[in-house]
Amino acid sequence: MSTIDTSHAAQGSVTPLFVTSRAGGVQETTVMLDPSREFRRDSLASRLVAALVNPLAKNPAAAAPHGRLVVVGSSDFASDRYAQNSPDNLAFVQNAVDWLAQDEALIAIRSKNRAPPPLVFTSGTMRDAVKYGNVIGVPVLLMVAGALRLWRRRQITRETYRPPAGEATPAAA
């Protein structure tokens, strides 16, 4: 992702969207992430990688400027390769398109966190009971249900056949 230079932009025309932490470095080639790799530390700084640009009117008495622009340091974040690993990139692209089309109605819906809320337990014992109940208890419950069904079927097969009360038995000739 490339850094966006906003040093020549008019004051107030650029709104930062994504800014790296103060530990954001610069790498000019493809990077292989390896835990044992030593990264350069001489170029660490906060960097702007995505911004909204609103053009300002040249004349303050003129009507408000029209048009919107989203600038991102690289188009790779919206490619299939990155969207599969980080669906948030795809949501960002969709929200940017909606904002550019001046249709913000879908942005609030799409930006909601769809992750289920975490389960809250009153104690560690309760959490462990639920965990082991799911891991061990559910299979045991299924085995008990299967054993009861098998036992009931065996009981039924041992009974002698008796026709229902409403049916007549065939007469002996």
Side-chain angles (χ1 to χ4, degrees):
M1 184 81 52
S2 298
T3 302
I4 299 172
D5 181 17
T6 59
S7 58
H8 299 294
Q11 188 69 24
S13 64
V14 176
T15 304
L17 283 179
F18 295 135
V19 179
T20 67
S21 68
R22 290 178 292 149
V26 176
Q27 180 73 34
E28 295 181 8
T29 60
T30 304
V31 177
M32 290 299 292
L33 296 178
D34 182 15
S36 63
R37 180 168 183 235
E38 290 292 325
F39 288 97
R40 291 181 19 204
R41 296 175 188 239
D42 60 344
S43 62
L44 300 181
S46 180
R47 304 188 189 287
L48 178 65
V49 293
L52 299 177
V53 180
N54 289 319
L56 298 174
K58 302 290 184 207
N59 182 0
H66 296 289
R68 294 176 171 190
L69 182 65
V70 175
V71 179
V72 181
S74 172
S75 63
D76 279 341
F77 78 98
S79 68
D80 286 340
R81 181 174 58 165
Y82 290 105
Q84 288 175 351
N85 295 331
S86 180
D88 294 335
N89 289 351
L90 190 57
F92 171 71
V93 171
Q94 291 172 334
N95 288 344
V97 169
D98 286 340
W99 182 79
L100 290 169
Q102 298 181 357
D103 184 20
E104 288 93 2
L106 294 176
I107 294 174
I109 296 170
R110 194 177 297 119
S111 296
K112 290 183 180 176
N113 185 5
R114 292 190 178 105
L119 297 175
V120 179
F121 297 102
T122 56
S123 68
T125 305
M126 178 62 83
R127 184 188 67 238
D128 290 342
V130 169
K131 178 172 66 173
Y132 293 119
N134 284 329
V135 172
I136 297 169
V138 173
V140 168
L141 185 63
L142 289 172
M143 287 189 290
V144 168
L148 286 174
R149 173 127 172 109
L150 183 62
W151 175 76
R152 178 69 181 133
R153 288 185 62 159
R154 284 187 181 165
Q155 292 295 322
I156 291 172
T157 59
R158 290 184 182 149
E159 294 178 5
T160 57
Y161 177 74
R162 285 178 272 135
E167 290 184 20
T169 55

